[in-house]
Amino acid sequence: MVKHIFDRIPSTSRLALGATLALGAAFAGTSATATATAASPSQPHPVAQQHSSAGQATAVSASTVLRVAESQIGVTEDATGGGTKFHQWYMSSPRAAETLARDGGGTPSLYANAPWCAMFVSWVGEQAGARSTIGWDAYTVTHAQWFKDNNRWGSEAKPGSVVFFDWGGSKNISAVDHVGLVKKDNGDGTITTIEGNTGNGKVEERIRPVSQVTGYG
């Protein structure tokens, strides 16, 4: 089930989207400074940190994020397009209630068989201790907008970056179709990625043309 919406949301949710993008601070903060001073489980600040045994804060490395992502290669959805650990984790998280309220309402079970590329990326961030850098969402457009609202949106493919795609080649966030993680820039107009809900509904390593990239978080 390689469709990507919460990548193309239903009409009732679409009505809520305009307000969501205008009110991005409600879940992401309007700037890196604002979010850092008001961080909470629903408002991740943009600097991911872990604490060493000496009590000093250390940044989560790209290699840690990619190691977690690579460990999930081969995970496959069930016949209904759901059933993964990523669906289960997202449905049980407090973020599910927030995004449902934002996108039109309902219960977390609506995510049970939903397209899961963004849930996969969010799960990886959580497991790597990098939620505050990677964010968490089930909808690719608002996930991308979170990065832009926090001045962390760019055009450079760095290992560990969150990469957003539009299959039509648009650079408009509103057109984003899919999301994954950058493994490396191949230097030939392509990037190597790790993505969920790709191929035949699996976690896979892929090679993508940069012409399909909308931007990077």
Side-chain angles (χ1 to χ4, degrees), residues 10-95:
S11 58
T12 53
S13 301
R14 196 170 291 123
L15 292 174
L17 178 58
T20 297
L21 298 182
L23 298 174
F27 77 100
T30 56
S31 69
T33 301
T35 2
T37 57
S40 72
S42 62
Q43 293 178 306
H45 58 75
V47 180
Q49 294 182 332
Q50 298 181 57
H51 291 276
S52 68
S53 58
Q56 296 177 324
T58 58
V60 178
S61 68
S63 61
T64 297
V65 171
L66 291 173
R67 186 164 57 249
V68 172
E70 288 176 319
S71 73
Q72 300 306 304
I73 289 174
V75 172
T76 306
E77 66 188 28
D78 62 24
T80 61
T84 71
K85 67 180 72 177
F86 319 118
H87 291 88
Q88 294 300 321
W89 166 77
Y90 195 83
M91 287 190 293
S92 66
S93 76
R95 187 70 178 132

Side-chain angles (χ1 to χ4, degrees), residues 29-33 46 145-154:
T30 56
S31 69
T33 301
Q145 188 68 38
W146 177 76
F147 282 103
K148 189 163 189 180
D149 287 346
N150 283 277
N151 299 315
R152 292 166 55 229
W153 182 254

Side-chain angles (χ1 to χ4, degrees), residues 123-191:
W123 181 92
V124 170
E126 179 79 1
Q127 300 303 309
R131 183 208 296 168
S132 54
T133 292
I134 288 177
W136 52 345
D137 213 310
Y139 178 29
T140 56
V141 169
T142 49
H143 198 170
Q145 188 68 38
W146 177 76
F147 282 103
K148 189 163 189 180
D149 287 346
N150 283 277
N151 299 315
R152 292 166 55 229
W153 182 254
S155 58
E156 185 176 355
K158 297 180 179 180
S161 294
V162 181
V163 54
F164 294 90
F165 300 97
D166 170 39
W167 306 136
S170 169
K171 302 304 178 185
N172 295 323
I173 285 178
S174 61
V176 166
D177 290 311
H178 185 56
V179 63
L181 292 160
V182 175
K183 183 174 180 178
K184 65 178 180 177
D185 185 339
N186 299 318
D188 60 358
T190 69
I191 55 174

Side-chain angles (χ1 to χ4, degrees), residues 195-212:
E195 306 167 15
N197 194 26
T198 190
N200 291 315
K202 297 180 180 180
V203 179
E204 294 183 345
E205 183 174 303
R206 304 295 298 268
I207 295 178
R208 300 284 193 187
V210 294
S211 60
Q212 294 179 333

